[in-house]
Amino acid sequence: MRFARNPNNRSGDYLEGMLSDYVGGKAKVKATKTGCTWLVTALTCLQLAFAVYATILLYYMSPSVELRTKPEFTWATRIARNMKQFIIPPHVHGRYQEAASLITAEIFSPITPSQVCEHERIDFVQKKSSEVQMIKLKRELYDEILDFQSKTIGTETLSELMAMKSQWDMRGPNRPKVTVLLNHFKRKTLCSQLDSLLQQSLPFHQVWVLSFGSPNEHSLKRIVESYNDSRISFISSSYDFKYYGRFQMALQTEADLVYIVDDDMIPGKKMLQILSHVAGTEKYKNSVLGSIGRILPFRQKDFTFPSYRKLRSKEAGLYLPDPAYDITVQKIVQVDFLSSSWFLSAELVKALFIETPSTFMTGEDLHLSYQLQKYRNAGSFVLPVDLTDKETWGDSEHRLAYVSETTVIFKDIVQVRDDQWWRALSTGYVTQWAAMYPQKIDALFYAHSVDEVKALAPLLEKFRSSVGKKAYIVVSGGNFCPCEDAAAALNWPKSVCKERRFKIFDLQVGALSGASNSEVPVLQAVYSSLKGLIKIHNPSVIITVTDIDPNVKKALKMASETNVNGSALVLLPRSSVSKVLWMADLRSTALQNWNRMRIYVNIITQSRAPSLTRLLKSLSDAYYTGDEIPVSFNMDSKVDEATIKLVDSFEWLHGPKTLRRRIIQGGLIRAVSESWYPTSDDDFGLLLEDDIEVSPYYYLWIKYAILAYHYDPQVSLPELSSISLYTPRLVEVVKERPRWNPTEFFNRIHPNTPYLHQLPCSWGAVFFPKHWREFYVYMNMRFTEDAKANPVQIPKSRTNGWQASWKKFLIDMMYLRGYVSLYPNFPNQASFSTNHMEPGAHISAKDNVVRHDKADFEVPLLMEDFRTLLPNGKLPPASKLPSLNLFNQPVSLKGLKAAGAKLGQDVLPCNNATEIVTVDHITGLPQQCSKFI
């Protein structure tokens, strides 16, 4: 690379070249070999004589030499005259004088711009479209974009922009330093550009004229030298650095701002002042500004995106301003990328090189805007102009763009640029289309390897095959997970990796960031791309596998948290992926709450170590969804040594483990009711006695049911207070305790429909936070040692005589206030939990006169995926759930409340049979009587 400032700074090499031109070239005459030898000898001797003369002259000019007496140098002159005849023969001396005079004229006569400047010939008028329909469509699209931006980010006219406060003082000491880079190849516009820059209302700091591989390098250099301005420098290289070279040079400036200008742009004389002022405003300081920009394509009706150069297509986007369609920019407009000129802070230029471009042959304009948005959250804006003042235009002669053909119109280059902008959109570039038309999808899958693609495939396919659902997959690409390999793993054609249609997104991690032993490039690439994709598509959930690379997991977590609309990161164990296909049956609004719930497993145990061992094994062997699940062991004071050792040695892989032991024996009623208390409205308590065993699917049933009936904003079921894992075989609240089979009972609706029951379950159930707080207060107000002293006596209920039972008080509260529990219903009463009926506080107790047949209580555990057994393969709508009263009789939810109101034995006396007690759900305290609907 060569660097030259002006003629006053010519190096010895330049002088040597000039001598070579005139002595060895232009001034050369046909001479004999001897004549040439004489000439060389003469010049050598003359050079020696001048050196001696100059040395003596410098000595006498030194301050240390006394100059009061005039020095005498006539002796040197006499010696030179006498030696001349011997050194330079007369026939050579004449030719040398002629050559020397030419050299002197060349070196010391100034070159003026008028001698070297060339100008493009423009002998045609601006191209205009005559297609009325296309003019109409383009104008409509432009108006839609302006209207959207005016409502969201605000748009300003030039006068409004100039009235905004700026950090730069154009006339004071805080004037910005602006370095202008002019990139030239063939066009003859350099003089016009320099003339305009020299007349700017805000003087520039420096101008760098760049010539990389230009055939016009010599003439460009002479033009720079002709201006004889130390602020204007010429930088050249025989190697063509293409379109990125100017930005690489911009990294070297010490200026505050840089203005990079193509050779077809002649800026108006006020441009530097306008650009600097706007760049100094709070709103646009983190932006790149320009005079020409492009809006990338919009999605077509067939859900594909056209080429940005597609003719006669509104969806192909916009070129702004576009004289062909009579579109001018009179308000600042955000674009997808700028062309021909870029004005930005020197700091922002660095963003261009964060990712390696897919090609250096073209596309630096799009790559700059894409990288700035992706890594600096910076926008690209076309400045407005004053149509009556051409000095405010950044492109004062638009016809120059048509003088010499630009590479972007060639078919192969168009294809490359189409691939480039689609790759940007596929890796998170929020274009104007994406901003104007935010998408809403159900799930966005992420796979960092082909094995992860295979693991996620069943759930992805279920989403994509479900009516009304949208799901896409993102792959890391590069060497981690090539898009074509991912497509093959999904049994998709490899062409999906090239289609301009949303389906699979290839981040090309590694291919863009390069090889590295650090985790930072991968984390940065995944985070920055996913952040944009999430903003564009607004997925309810982002799904990946639990054992994904930890750094990628961090990136996904950070990206999901950027979505203001809420995107839940779902980390699924590979073994559970095929077991949670019911996710695709949930509404998007419910899926968003995937991570809100926190289920606490609370185990009540005392001295049944073998039973506890069985329960713990069943819990450990179950399927989970990557959630953190705290487990607590609640032990009474008389717990045995074996149980304590078992609890201490138990390893729980899904969350923290807590041990609680009473000092004073409390009994079962306190052990259960005090085993858990919610800390928030998203805490749910699973209560398990140690003789319970759970199904491998117990947690999936809980998760599915809570999301479907509690966290779906479109579902209103405030009466639901708990979810049972167990299906009872007896009607236990009546004296006869008859057998009951829900599969037969609901056969007319659907044999396996879940149902609502007014009876709470004590053999494996999850209790809701608001209702549990309410139960605490209610039990505190109603607890008596003597069951007969309890004021609540439910007609014909065997529970009236139950003593030392926490469940009796919960039954009373649910009956009085119309609350229900959700129960599963599968063939042979297969359940998510079973009771092994082992001796304890109730079973086989001395004071319990009721004899228990194990066959009436021990049900088979569900060991297969329950989803296929449900009505239509999914949980029915809440409105379709049948409801039963305490005695297993079909009663509507309103009827259940009416029965409680009629009994009228709640903690607050209600005067009307249409009122029930309502409570403060934070404290659980009763507030008032309210009418029920």
Side-chain angles (χ1 to χ4, degrees), residues 576 578-583 585-586 623 625 695-706 708-709 723 725 750 752-754 822 824-827 830-832 861-876:
S576 296
S578 61
K579 309 297 189 299
V580 294
L581 302 185
W582 44 261
M583 288 180 69
D585 298 322
L586 292 167
Y623 297 110
T625 59
S695 155
Y697 293 88
Y698 89 93
Y699 189 83
L700 305 185
W701 160 253
I702 295 171
K703 186 92 173 178
Y704 186 14
I706 292 178
Y709 298 131
I723 296 173
L725 306 183
H750 188 284
N752 300 136
T753 181
L822 178 72
N825 172 25
F826 297 109
S831 302
F832 298 104
L861 290 173
L862 197 64
M863 304 304 288
E864 60 180 310
D865 191 347
F866 63 90
R867 183 184 64 87
T868 56
L869 301 174
L870 293 170
N872 300 315
K874 58 185 177 182
L875 286 175

Side-chain angles (χ1 to χ4, degrees), residues 512-560:
L512 296 180
S513 59
S516 174
N517 291 327
S518 170
E519 74 281 0
V520 174
V522 172
L523 191 151
Q524 176 179 261
V526 174
Y527 165 71
S528 57
S529 294
L530 261 293
K531 181 182 69 171
L533 287 173
I534 290 169
K535 188 173 183 179
I536 294 170
H537 299 285
N538 285 295
S540 295
V541 287
I542 302 157
I543 302 174
T544 191
V545 292
T546 306
D547 59 340
I548 196 169
D549 179 274
N551 294 306
V552 174
K553 187 185 296 186
K554 291 177 187 176
L556 294 175
K557 186 176 185 298
M558 289 191 298
S560 66

Side-chain angles (χ1 to χ4, degrees), residues 807-873:
K807 186 175 178 180
K808 181 256 189 304
F809 295 97
L810 185 54
I811 288 173
D812 289 353
M813 188 191 80
M814 291 178 66
Y815 187 88
L816 291 169
R817 298 174 186 176
Y819 294 151
V820 292
S821 181
L822 178 72
Y823 279 79
N825 172 25
F826 297 109
N828 198 28
Q829 280 136 313
S831 302
F832 298 104
S833 69
T834 189
N835 180 4
H836 289 289
M837 298 299 292
E838 292 167 344
H842 291 309
I843 306 301
S844 300
K846 291 180 180 179
D847 57 347
N848 192 342
V849 298
V850 177
R851 292 293 169 258
H852 299 87
D853 184 350
K854 196 172 184 179
D856 291 337
F857 297 92
E858 193 173 43
V859 296
L861 290 173
L862 197 64
M863 304 304 288
E864 60 180 310
D865 191 347
F866 63 90
R867 183 184 64 87
T868 56
L869 301 174
L870 293 170
N872 300 315

Side-chain angles (χ1 to χ4, degrees), residues 83 140 160 208 214 264 273 324 333-334 384 386 421 501 613 693:
M83 294 294 294
E140 285 177 354
E160 289 171 339
W208 295 351
S214 170
D264 59 350
Q273 179 181 350
V333 57
Q334 186 169 7
D386 180 349
W421 70 255
R501 180 195 302 271
T613 300
E693 185 180 3

Side-chain angles (χ1 to χ4, degrees), residues 350-477:
K350 298 175 183 177
L352 179 65
F353 302 100
I354 294 176
E355 290 182 10
T356 304
S358 56
T359 176
F360 286 97
M361 299 299 292
T362 185
E364 83 296 347
D365 42 11
L366 171 61
H367 192 65
L368 176 64
S369 293
Y370 166 48
Q371 296 288 279
L372 282 172
Q373 184 197 94
K374 187 173 183 178
Y375 293 105
R376 299 298 295 265
N377 199 28
S380 303
F381 295 88
V382 171
L383 288 186
V385 299
D386 180 349
L387 293 178
T388 63
D389 184 1
K390 215 167 186 181
E391 304 304 336
T392 66
W393 298 13
D395 181 22
S396 60
E397 183 48 83
H398 192 75
R399 289 178 295 171
L400 282 171
Y402 301 96
V403 171
S404 179
E405 285 188 339
T406 175
T407 57
V408 298
I409 66 172
F410 300 140
K411 184 178 180 181
D412 55 340
I413 297 297
V414 170
Q415 182 61 52
V416 170
R417 290 174 68 87
D418 272 336
D419 291 344
Q420 187 184 32
W421 70 255
W422 175 249
R423 187 179 300 112
L425 183 59
S426 300
T427 53
Y429 188 32
V430 184
T431 64
Q432 294 310 299
W433 169 82
M436 292 173 66
Y437 299 99
Q439 304 298 292
K440 179 59 186 173
I441 66 172
D442 298 276
L444 189 66
F445 289 76
Y446 180 85
H448 204 65
S449 68
V450 176
D451 283 343
E452 291 170 15
V453 173
K454 294 176 181 177
L456 294 169
L459 186 56
L460 172 62
E461 189 56 37
K462 179 63 169 68
F463 266 99
R464 292 187 61 83
S465 62
S466 297
V467 177
K469 296 295 181 181
K470 286 185 181 180
Y472 309 133
I473 185 169
V474 183
V475 295
S476 56

